[in-house]
Amino acid sequence: MVVAGQPFFACRYICRVDPPPEIAYTRCMQKSCLALILGLTACSLGHPLTGIFPRDEDESDSDLSALLLLGFAGQFAGLTVQASVSQVLIYENVTFTVAGGTPPYSFRVSRGGGTITISGVFTAGPVLGANTVTVVDSTGLTGSASVNVSGGAGDGTFQTSLNYAAFDAPQTIQSGDFTNDGVLDLLVGTSNAGAQEMRIYAGNGDGSFQTGTSNPIGAGIRSVTVGDFNADGNLDMAGGTTGNRFSVFLGNSDITFQPRVDYPHTPGALGIRAGDMDGDGVQDIVSGDFNDGTISFWKGSGDGTFQSASTFGSLNAPRFVELADLNNDGALDIAAPNLAGAPSTNPGATVFPGNGDGTFGAGVENDSPAGGGRFVIFGDFNGDSNLDLVTLPASGSDITIFNGNGDGSFQTGQVYTVTGATVDRFGVACDFNSDGRLDLALADRANSAVAILFGDGAGSFTVGPQLAAPTNPHGVHCRDLNRDGIMDIAAASFNTDTLRVFLGN
């Protein structure tokens, strides 16, 4: 190392600090020792100087380098970041804490596929293996820590389904702990006139569920989303409907909800998702409009209400939307499926990069060789720690896999044919056989089943078991519902008004 043209040599003095780290070596330029200057600098950052002492003659330069690293790392290199656990199941939560530096702290997922709140609660996404969270304090000091995201301990087979009545025409499923008892509950949205409702099934913790509790919505439901919209610690829910609105229920933590609040929308607001799109720690809502082809951003106020929407984009029938940080910049992006034909140029999926302030860049189309997209699924299917994108077709058996580049762009789509199936409804990514590779569970209307596709870790799949879900399966959801560390599946049988739960072996 050279400073002012002079080489550095090992200094004969050390700086002792209190509290630990106890020793920080310095270097000096030739015979003019900088121990006092550098020592005072190191010790002034919260560690009082207790002395300048001679260095032992037999201490090597390698020892010096190691102690330099130890002594100055806490002062100059950054923050100490820790995860509350070393491993977490896919789609579950872990908390990251920070020591040192100057609050407030800014959290972002720098490697992996999850999301993290401004308070450090990380929700694991569909990227298995090491996921890294980076933290920056108000002065620019940084630190990071990782957690291993696991797909569980399943063998890829499932028990016969547990069945629950779900009137009328169940379409979509989500999960969450609505009762704050540490057990996952299921949320099902139904769509026919007989019972247009958001129904909560309280979990018993063993994979079974209580009779559903109805929350009427008065319109057909096409998608549901969950989040703590008013920051009271209780999960809330929202549903996208066919009734020219989306509807919000604020939770009371006991499986009951406050009266429904409706937000007017154009008739095609079928798909909605909740996420913090502007980095203020408040849940917002994003919707796709099947009829007019636009995407809408509804900013959350933090009290459970939402401001008027800002609308952008011009697509052909974006029926659903999904949210993820596709370019690892800490801001959520939007992906929406679109059909062939104007105003879209190509069928497939369009990505709108988030700017982190509630605004979004121009949509970038990803052309599906299999034709128009109806639904999108995120996951790291080729093991490079970047989120990839799968589109389900408008009809038929061909799905398209777009490998992600990690910067928000995707490679040319590759088609995989699920022979003999009709997989044009819903799906989810999980690791069902615990091989560290993401698999797919897709609603297969042709066979009245949930089709399992085992991923090979290179972006392709082999056909696994068919889980009977008569008839006309729609929503498919994956979580560990009985807390045994094995991924389970919940599916909605549209024509038979049934919620089916398949516990993994």
Side-chain angles (χ1 to χ4, degrees), residues 230-266:
N230 58 352
D232 64 351
N234 301 323
L235 271 186
D236 312 311
M237 60 185 185
T241 79
T242 57
N244 299 357
R245 56 183 165 83
F246 74 87
S247 299
V248 174
F249 294 86
L250 299 180
N252 295 320
S253 82
D254 59 357
I255 223 166
T256 66
F257 294 83
Q258 298 175 34
R260 186 186 85 223
V261 177
D262 296 330
Y263 291 84
H265 202 302
T266 50

Side-chain angles (χ1 to χ4, degrees), residues 8-65:
F8 266 54
F9 299 98
C11 186
R12 292 177 178 271
Y13 295 89
I14 59 175
C15 164
R16 192 178 301 279
V17 298
D18 184 32
E22 294 184 349
I23 296 177
Y25 274 107
T26 64
R27 290 181 180 269
C28 65
M29 190 169 62
Q30 293 185 352
K31 293 183 180 180
S32 177
C33 187
L34 300 178
L36 181 59
I37 298 173
L38 296 180
L40 284 170
T41 301
C43 296
S44 67
L45 297 178
H47 296 275
L49 177 67
T50 60
I52 301 293
F53 302 95
R55 168 177 172 259
D56 293 338
E57 295 291 342
D58 59 353
E59 289 176 311
S60 67
D61 283 342
S62 61
D63 295 333
L64 173 63
S65 299

Side-chain angles (χ1 to χ4, degrees), residues 311-334:
T311 301
F312 53 94
S314 183
L315 311 178
N316 185 3
R319 185 179 295 267
F320 298 102
V321 293
E322 294 294 340
L323 311 177
D325 182 4
L326 300 174
N327 56 359
N328 297 313
D329 66 351
L332 286 177
D333 310 307
I334 302 170

Side-chain angles (χ1 to χ4, degrees), residues 63 66 124 159 182 189 199 211 228 239 250 259 266 272 301-302 350 355 384 394 416 420 427 439 459 495 504:
D63 295 333
Q159 301 174 30
R199 181 174 286 263
T211 302
D228 185 1
L250 299 180
T266 50
I272 64 173
S301 300
T350 300
N355 297 320
D384 63 356
Y416 179 85
D439 312 311
N495 288 359

